[in-house]
Amino acid sequence: MEKGYNSRVPVYLKIAYDMREKILLGDLKPQQKMPSIRKLALELNLNPNTVKKAYEVLENQKLIKSNSTVGTFVTDDLELLLEERINNSFETITLETKELKKLGVSLNSVLEGIEKKWKVL
Amino acid sequence: MEKGYNSRVPVYLKIAYDMREKILLGDLKPQQKMPSIRKLALELNLNPNTVKKAYEVLENQKLIKSNSTVGTFVTDDLELLLEERINNSFETITLETKELKKLGVSLNSVLEGIEKKWKVL
Amino acid sequence: MEKGYNSRVPVYLKIAYDMREKILLGDLKPQQKMPSIRKLALELNLNPNTVKKAYEVLENQKLIKSNSTVGTFVTDDLELLLEERINNSFETITLETKELKKLGVSLNSVLEGIEKKWKVL
Amino acid sequence: MEKGYNSRVPVYLKIAYDMREKILLGDLKPQQKMPSIRKLALELNLNPNTVKKAYEVLENQKLIKSNSTVGTFVTDDLELLLEERINNSFETITLETKELKKLGVSLNSVLEGIEKKWKVL
DNA sequence: GTGGTCTAGACCACA
DNA sequence: GTGGTCTAGACCACC
């Protein structure tokens, strides 16, 4: 879909996404120190501001917490946070399901639709 | 200026929601004329501007179409519109499902969760 | 690995919460020895690591103090700690109140809202 | 409290705060166009990136929505958003109140504490 | 014209 | 060392 020069996902989002994966998969554990902005920038051959922006994204998602003069750390409330996320997702799904029911879609259609997509996800 | 603790959703949104229900349930049919803003305002004992705002919401959702000289009408593309809505809902559900999968929730948990809620909806 | 739809809060947090209650309510008194991790794990039919994690939470909150050779004890600074907690809560409430004022909520709405909830708490 | 060179609130937060005020007070209305990043930067004699950062803060708060190639606009869901904010604040206050009750604080102390602060806010 | 991204590099406070 | 802020200025895509 995209290639070369203009791979239209911003660099800072890719970094954020990668680090998010590492956190979710337990590669980076709660309370653990993240690589420092400068170091990661050097390593990835990027401007520190770009890395900073990635970290800001993760901080907005409460996955990490920055502490000036010390470093950046994976949140210690990770499990709680994930529970919250899961509940939120279920809530959204419930709302949309409600909508579908009102629009005349059957329960089976909904379940099948989800099941079919699940494997491809 | 002052919002009480129990004020919850603004009135104009409630009206929009109610009229939406009537349209989706076929109580108001495609191409049918909506009650005039003034009449509805009188009936509900509200400021016409509030009703106008509700109608604007519905028009943004393409459920109705305003024709300044003649009145307001339910869209004639209702079927198409509903299909679009259904697709949108499914898309949202797919996105959230993707999120849930990544967060470690099983397909069965998702399906069961939806099924359980469905009956109560 | 797998989180069911109804799993809600992780077990170790529940335990931490329960023990916290016991400490705050004076069921476990300052300087008193906490049940040993192994004993509590047996009693609750849980993995000792789960209990250990709960104790870590409480230690982070300075409610207990671990002494590797002797055991785990309720802090002796409990009074001071409670005062701190109360101040923190008041500070949070003040911040939120400030927000509410800016959003146009009246003092009476706030007070009434709190009073109403208080009885149900 | 602060003066001169080192007034320790970052410029971008001041801007965000000012614009937020304008939105909440209705000075900038829902769906209305915000001043463009470049124009505001010129006007305030700042680097566009600084203004951009301020706008990012507001966008994170869902108060505004950026639309490349067109401009930045006050959200059209403002009323709904504010309702949500109010409910959130009340929820937080309720949680903290619950905490205070458990810590042995009386209802009157809580109400008085809030009332005293309210005037100074 | 608009916002979005990214670099290069400065200075700050804190410890 | 750390993160936080800010400037200066480039290029991009979209319309």
Side-chain angles (χ1 to χ4, degrees), chain B:
Chain B
M1 180 53 55
E2 170 100 355
K3 284 183 202 299
Y5 174 46
N6 295 310
S7 74
R8 328 218 43 94
V9 173
V11 180
Y12 78 94
L13 283 179
K14 276 194 190 143
I15 301 173
Y17 185 81
D18 287 348
M19 302 308 280
R20 184 173 182 273
E21 293 286 85
K22 290 193 178 177
I23 294 173
L24 290 185
L25 293 174
D27 200 3
L28 286 166
K29 298 207 180 337
Q31 305 201 356
Q32 189 175 335
K33 190 168 182 308
M34 304 276 290
S36 89
I37 290 179
R38 281 199 196 102
K39 204 178 275 178
L40 190 53
L42 264 175
E43 195 176 309
L44 301 177
N45 200 17
L46 290 171
N47 188 305
N49 282 328
T50 306
V51 177
K52 184 160 188 307
K53 220 165 165 185
Y55 276 28
E56 279 170 9
V57 170
L58 294 174
E59 195 160 6
N60 278 336
Q61 297 181 355
K62 313 233 182 185
L63 282 169
I64 64 175
K65 182 93 187 78
S66 241
N67 182 324
S68 58
T69 64
V70 196
T72 307
F73 298 86
V74 178
T75 177
D76 52 347
D77 282 336
L78 194 58
E79 295 286 331
L80 208 66
L81 202 64
L82 293 188
E83 200 140 333
E84 218 174 281
R85 283 288 163 78
I86 290 176
N87 286 336
N88 275 344
S89 283
F90 262 113
E91 215 165 283
T92 303
I93 290 179
T94 302
L95 271 178
E96 294 297 328
T97 305
K98 194 172 172 180
E99 182 75 6
L100 286 174
K101 191 176 185 183
K102 184 169 301 172
L103 292 175
V105 180
S106 73
L107 174 57
N108 272 342
S109 298
V110 175
L111 297 183
E112 276 170 26
I114 292 173
E115 204 168 346
K116 202 178 298 174
K117 292 283 180 66
W118 184 273
K119 295 161 197 159
V120 198
L121 251 46

Side-chain angles (χ1 to χ4, degrees), chain D residues 2-120:
Chain D
E2 25 188 87
K3 47 151 98 154
Y5 176 71
N6 206 4
S7 76
R8 247 344 27 210
V9 163
V11 180
Y12 78 94
L13 279 183
K14 275 192 188 146
I15 301 173
Y17 186 83
D18 286 349
M19 301 310 275
R20 184 172 186 271
E21 291 286 86
K22 288 194 179 179
I23 293 172
L24 290 185
L25 293 175
D27 201 0
L28 286 165
K29 296 206 180 342
Q31 308 208 357
Q32 191 175 333
K33 192 172 181 307
M34 306 275 290
S36 93
I37 290 179
R38 283 179 181 77
K39 253 180 210 158
L40 189 53
L42 266 176
E43 194 177 307
L44 300 177
N45 200 17
L46 289 171
N47 187 291
N49 281 328
T50 305
V51 176
K52 175 73 164 52
K53 208 169 175 185
Y55 277 24
E56 275 171 2
V57 170
L58 295 174
E59 195 160 8
N60 279 333
Q61 297 179 355
K62 313 237 184 178
L63 282 170
I64 65 177
K65 181 94 186 79
S66 274
N67 187 333
S68 233
T69 81
V70 192
T72 305
F73 300 85
V74 179
T75 179
D76 52 347
D77 286 333
L78 189 61
E79 306 213 26
L80 213 56
L81 188 68
L82 296 186
E83 276 300 326
E84 213 175 288
R85 287 283 168 80
I86 290 176
N87 286 335
N88 276 344
S89 282
F90 262 111
E91 215 166 282
T92 302
I93 290 179
T94 301
L95 271 178
E96 293 297 329
T97 305
K98 197 171 170 179
E99 181 80 4
L100 285 176
K101 191 177 186 182
K102 186 171 300 172
L103 294 174
V105 180
S106 75
L107 174 57
N108 271 343
S109 302
V110 175
L111 297 182
E112 276 170 27
I114 292 173
E115 202 167 349
K116 202 177 298 173
K117 296 278 182 64
W118 184 272
K119 294 157 196 159
V120 200

